[in-house]
Amino acid sequence: MTATETRAAPPRRSRARRRGPSRQTREMWLLMLPAMVPVLLFSMGPLLYGIGLAFTDARNTRVHQTEFVGLENFTALLADDEFWSSFRIGAIWSVSVTVLQFVAALGLALLLNEKLRGRAVARVLSVVPWAMPPVVIGLMWKLVYHPDAGILNDLLGTHVNWLADFSLALPAIIVVGVWAGMPQTTVVLLAGLQNVPKELYEAGEMDGAGSWRRFWSITLPQLRPVIVAITSLDFVWNINQFGLVYVLTQGGPGGRTRLPMLFAYEEAFRYRMAGYASMLGLAMAIVVLAVLGLYLWRQMREVR
């Protein structure tokens, strides 16, 4: 008699029932909805509409019939000397303000990170420009630069019209841009400094490293992620600057301070060329994304 071995049949896999989104997921989307609707309506909507206008001959007039023109606006933009002039001025402005903001903010953050008397008051005062609207800052600095009653001319004993001089107008507004944008950079760098482990400085002192050596070997490497983030944001904010420069100079004298966003504003609302102005904004967005992408790629490559 042969014994037959019986094997237990493998358990049947129960088919997973396809379920819809879980209750937690539905609640998450429900909570996000009030924040997403304004973003979609007031950010994504106008953005997509502006991109569409860039490929048309739209004008801010009721009698004009808008037509699709393809890349004609882009071709005209490449041949426009005024655009290239504003682009050059915008590059000088954004790079200068971003670099000077970082240098000044880093020095101030290092100072505010030390245990000094009145440090709390100094920290509060350092963020005052951040709380002021760009229009107020522009009006205040117009008084500082005033050729007759300005405090700067009184201190220097001169009679210079800083904002109307062809060679001084751009440096003058760069100073204002640095002063206005330095507080947020200072706050971010100060937060980064406070997160640097103190053990690293103690180890550096034990190895005989001086203050300058500890700054280069410990502080800057530890701050690198913060530096990359804040300088990237500063560059985007500065290249898109409009209100502050408009109040100070309105792009003058002779277009010497006409940033790309001021040029786009003039094309859209003074000359009513909405399609051309939209293409200018689209081109600047592409340039900014390309520059930021290259900058971030190089920084991440160095980190690796």
Side-chain angles (χ1 to χ4, degrees):
M1 185 172 174
T2 349
T4 57
E5 297 180 357
T6 57
R7 296 182 181 177
R12 300 175 104 188
R13 296 182 182 177
S14 59
R15 294 182 181 179
R17 296 171 60 185
R18 294 184 180 180
R19 298 178 179 177
S22 64
R23 180 179 178 182
Q24 185 178 2
T25 304
R26 290 196 299 268
E27 291 178 352
M28 179 189 69
W29 283 106
L30 188 62
L31 292 173
M32 290 175 59
L33 193 61
M36 291 177 62
V37 170
V39 171
L40 293 175
L41 288 179
F42 302 112
S43 294
M44 295 302 299
L47 175 63
L48 296 175
Y49 181 69
I51 293 175
L53 281 183
F55 300 95
T56 67
D57 62 348
R59 298 186 181 181
N60 293 331
T61 58
R62 294 183 179 179
V63 296
H64 178 71
Q65 186 69 29
T66 302
E67 295 181 0
F68 180 79
V69 295
L71 295 176
E72 286 186 14
N73 288 330
F74 183 72
T75 306
L77 194 67
L78 294 179
D80 193 342
D81 293 336
E82 292 187 2
F83 164 70
W84 289 111
S85 174
S86 70
F87 181 79
R88 178 182 58 84
I89 294 169
I92 295 172
W93 154 269
S94 55
V95 173
S96 300
V97 174
T98 301
V99 172
L100 293 176
Q101 272 181 0
F102 169 71
V103 174
L106 180 60
L108 183 58
L110 289 170
L111 183 63
L112 294 177
N113 195 42
E114 298 295 326
K115 295 180 180 179
L116 303 173
R117 288 188 62 184
R119 183 176 62 173
V121 177
R123 287 180 177 180
V124 173
L125 294 177
S126 66
V127 298
V128 167
W130 196 6
M132 300 173 66
V135 174
V136 175
I137 294 175
L139 293 173
M140 182 183 72
W141 277 90
K142 283 189 78 171
L143 295 176
V144 173
Y145 285 135
H146 196 278
D148 299 322
I151 187 174
L152 184 60
N153 281 324
D154 288 343
L155 291 175
L156 299 177
T158 57
H159 188 76
V160 178
N161 194 347
W162 298 89
L163 298 178
D165 190 282
F166 278 77
S167 59
L168 297 177
L170 185 57
I173 67 169
I174 286 175
V175 171
V176 181
V178 173
W179 185 86
M182 191 175 65
Q184 65 263 26
T185 309
T186 303
V187 170
V188 173
L189 292 175
L190 181 59
L193 286 172
Q194 292 178 344
N195 287 325
V196 177
K198 296 181 180 179
E199 293 80 5
L200 296 178
Y201 294 111
E202 294 173 358
E205 290 180 1
M206 291 178 63
D207 291 340
S211 300
W212 190 249
R213 183 65 180 175
R214 292 198 302 271
F215 172 74
W216 280 105
S217 301
I218 299 174
T219 305
L220 281 184
Q222 291 292 316
L223 286 179
R224 174 167 286 185
V226 177
I227 292 172
V228 171
I230 192 59
T231 52
S232 301
L233 291 174
D234 283 343
F235 178 77
V236 173
W237 290 330
N238 291 325
I239 196 67
N240 290 317
Q241 184 61 254
F242 172 80
L244 181 63
V245 181
Y246 184 80
V247 173
L248 286 169
T249 63
Q250 295 186 1
R256 296 301 175 91
T257 60
R258 185 167 54 185
L259 303 182
M261 293 304 105
L262 282 171
F263 181 59
Y265 170 81
E266 290 179 354
E267 292 295 323
F269 297 102
R270 180 177 296 178
Y271 304 114
R272 300 182 181 276
M273 305 291 290
Y276 187 67
S278 298
M279 178 57 74
L280 195 154
L282 178 59
M284 288 304 303
I286 293 173
V287 170
V288 170
L289 289 175
V291 172
L292 277 180
L294 179 61
Y295 171 69
L296 293 174
W297 175 76
R298 290 189 61 181
Q299 292 296 326
M300 296 306 164
R301 187 179 178 184
E302 291 179 4
V303 170
R304 291 176 183 176

